[in-house]
Amino acid sequence: MSLGLTPSQTVGPFFSHALPWPEGPYVVPEGTAGAFWLRGRVFDGDGEPVPDALVESWQADPAGRFNHPDDPRGSDFRGFGRCPSDVDGNWAILTVRPGRVPDTAGRLQAPHIDLSIFARGLLDRVVTRVYLPDEAAANAEDPVLSTVDDVRRATLVAEPDGDGFRFDIRLQGERETVFFSV
């Protein structure tokens, strides 16, 4: 007796009506000093836009503190954003520059924003980091970024873009974004 393949289960598409909320893309209110837009597009392995992905951000405040019980220093900074991609795969989050945070060994990490991406075809979220291009010295000594092969490191560094930065996410294929196992 031969059994067929079990159908795969994915995490979507259900984002456009179930998870977004109006304030999700605004980690900080418009007009906040130092606020900038982090924008990009989500692409699949064929280079096509993903119209129903969900991008979540998590970051420290400008002093490098988290609003989380594991950070004893504390902060009232929300640090969390959520934006669905549109029909062209576009997403955008308004935030501020995060501060440097220590890793588990106490080494300072470069300012970065963690992103989780949920999309159809994925069995689980994928997680990456966004590093800022104008933090060259901090990026060079970052204990996580330094583990990434030089050729692929550029997939983790945003590009200047008008009133903020651009960070396209490629789920597979040529120039695939580096994703981390967490």
Side-chain angles (χ1 to χ4, degrees):
M1 182 166 137
S2 160
L3 298 176
L5 294 174
T6 301
S8 65
Q9 302 231 344
T10 65
V11 295
F14 54 81
F15 305 115
S16 65
H17 68 276
L19 293 176
W21 85 94
E23 296 81 26
Y26 299 91
V27 175
V28 296
E30 288 186 275
T32 298
F36 64 87
W37 282 101
L38 178 61
R39 295 184 176 94
R41 292 178 75 192
V42 181
F43 296 98
D44 67 16
D46 293 326
E48 295 297 319
V50 178
D52 57 356
L54 188 72
V55 178
E56 290 184 344
S57 67
W58 175 245
Q59 70 178 80
D61 69 13
R65 297 175 181 202
F66 288 98
N67 183 357
H68 192 276
D70 288 345
D71 189 338
R73 302 166 301 160
S75 173
D76 61 359
F77 179 67
R78 183 175 93 188
F80 175 76
R82 178 183 286 158
C83 185
S85 61
D86 68 13
V87 296
D88 295 316
N90 293 301
W91 61 274
I93 293 176
L94 184 68
T95 191
V96 292
R97 184 177 297 267
R100 296 183 75 176
V101 297
D103 70 2
T104 56
R107 298 171 295 185
L108 283 180
Q109 300 176 61
H112 65 277
I113 299 170
D114 295 313
L115 296 181
S116 291
I117 300 89
F118 302 85
R120 68 182 134 84
L122 297 177
L123 297 177
D124 199 1
R125 70 183 174 137
V126 291
V127 178
T128 192
R129 284 182 165 197
V130 180
Y131 290 91
L132 304 175
D134 55 354
E135 295 281 356
N139 290 348
E141 63 187 32
D142 183 85
V144 174
L145 190 57
S146 65
T147 67
V148 177
D149 182 78
D150 289 344
V151 175
R152 301 206 52 224
R153 201 170 290 165
T155 71
L156 297 174
V157 180
E159 299 174 0
D161 183 43
D163 57 352
F165 298 98
R166 176 163 206 80
F167 187 79
D168 290 336
I169 300 161
R170 290 174 172 78
L171 297 174
Q172 291 181 319
E174 188 177 340
R175 297 186 335 246
E176 176 182 335
T177 302
V178 171
F179 298 107
F180 298 97
S181 179
V182 293

